[in-house]
Amino acid sequence: MTRILGIDPGSRKTGYGLIDIQRGGAVYVASGVVRIPDTALPERLKLIFDAISQIAGQYAPAQMAIENVFMSKSAGSALKLGQARGAAIVAATHAGLSVSEYEARKVKQAVVGNGAADKLQVQHMVKTLLRLPAAPQEDAADALAVALCHMHTMQTLVQTAGAANSRFRRGRLTIS
């Protein structure tokens, strides 16, 4: 079993979601939103670091997946988002987790099948894929979607490596 922590970073709200991979499928563990008070940015970053550190300590994930920064309407907002991501990444690496990063379009493609899906579609598919009784909060659903994307990516890499090893053993693969 592998436990994955997904993060949807933000300087005001950071979503988190944890899933376990069991028999190739995902099982819901926990999710939520870390709400950051309107304080100075350095204090908000410390709160994000502390919250992710606490979540990692409580749930003991093996890996963390986080959404990449995208350009928003404001360069200042993108910079703050990047700093919030940095705080979460440092917390994860400090806890000994491997970290993978995914573009928002890739996350939506992996979970919904459409890289331009809206937040309601993501919430619905996360609820469906994880067999939840209700849709999680928006930021928590996004974090769970990041974790699911990471799971799908890892499974694809394992399958691809297995197929390549099989072809190599049968003498079909040539290396130049």
Side-chain angles (χ1 to χ4, degrees):
M1 176 188 74
T2 300
R3 181 163 288 173
I4 301 170
L5 169 61
I7 298 290
D8 178 37
S11 64
R12 305 258 182 225
K13 293 187 295 183
T14 292
Y16 68 92
L18 293 118
I19 61 171
D20 284 341
I21 301 173
Q22 295 179 347
R23 295 186 197 109
V27 176
Y28 175 84
V29 176
S31 64
V33 178
V34 177
R35 298 189 187 285
I36 313 298
D38 191 17
T39 60
L41 183 60
E43 181 60 27
R44 285 188 271 160
L45 297 176
K46 181 187 180 312
L47 292 171
I48 293 168
F49 175 88
D50 291 344
I52 301 304
S53 295
Q54 179 183 359
I55 292 164
Q58 180 178 354
Y59 292 102
Q63 303 169 12
M64 184 182 93
I66 190 166
E67 195 171 277
N68 268 339
V69 175
F70 64 93
M71 276 310 290
S72 60
K73 296 176 184 176
S74 155
S77 294
L79 288 171
K80 287 178 186 171
L81 177 58
Q83 291 172 322
R85 284 182 73 253
I89 290 169
V90 170
T93 57
H94 190 259
L97 307 181
S98 63
V99 177
S100 298
E101 302 174 41
Y102 296 96
E103 301 292 332
R105 290 186 67 80
K106 182 172 182 173
V107 171
K108 292 174 184 179
Q109 180 68 40
V111 174
V112 180
N114 174 2
D118 65 31
K119 292 209 175 261
L120 285 175
Q121 290 172 307
V122 172
Q123 282 179 294
H124 174 74
M125 285 307 297
V126 165
K127 175 186 176 237
T128 301
L129 291 169
L130 294 174
R131 297 178 240 15
L132 300 175
Q137 299 173 53
E138 190 176 281
D139 296 297
D142 289 347
L144 287 164
V146 173
L148 288 166
C149 176
H150 182 64
M151 179 191 78
H152 290 305
T153 301
M154 294 299 102
Q155 288 174 339
T156 300
L157 289 173
V158 167
Q159 290 170 353
T160 302
N165 285 338
S166 176
R167 286 191 305 270
F168 181 75
R169 277 181 261 139
R170 286 187 242 139
R172 295 185 199 165
L173 188 62
T174 56
I175 301 172
S176 50

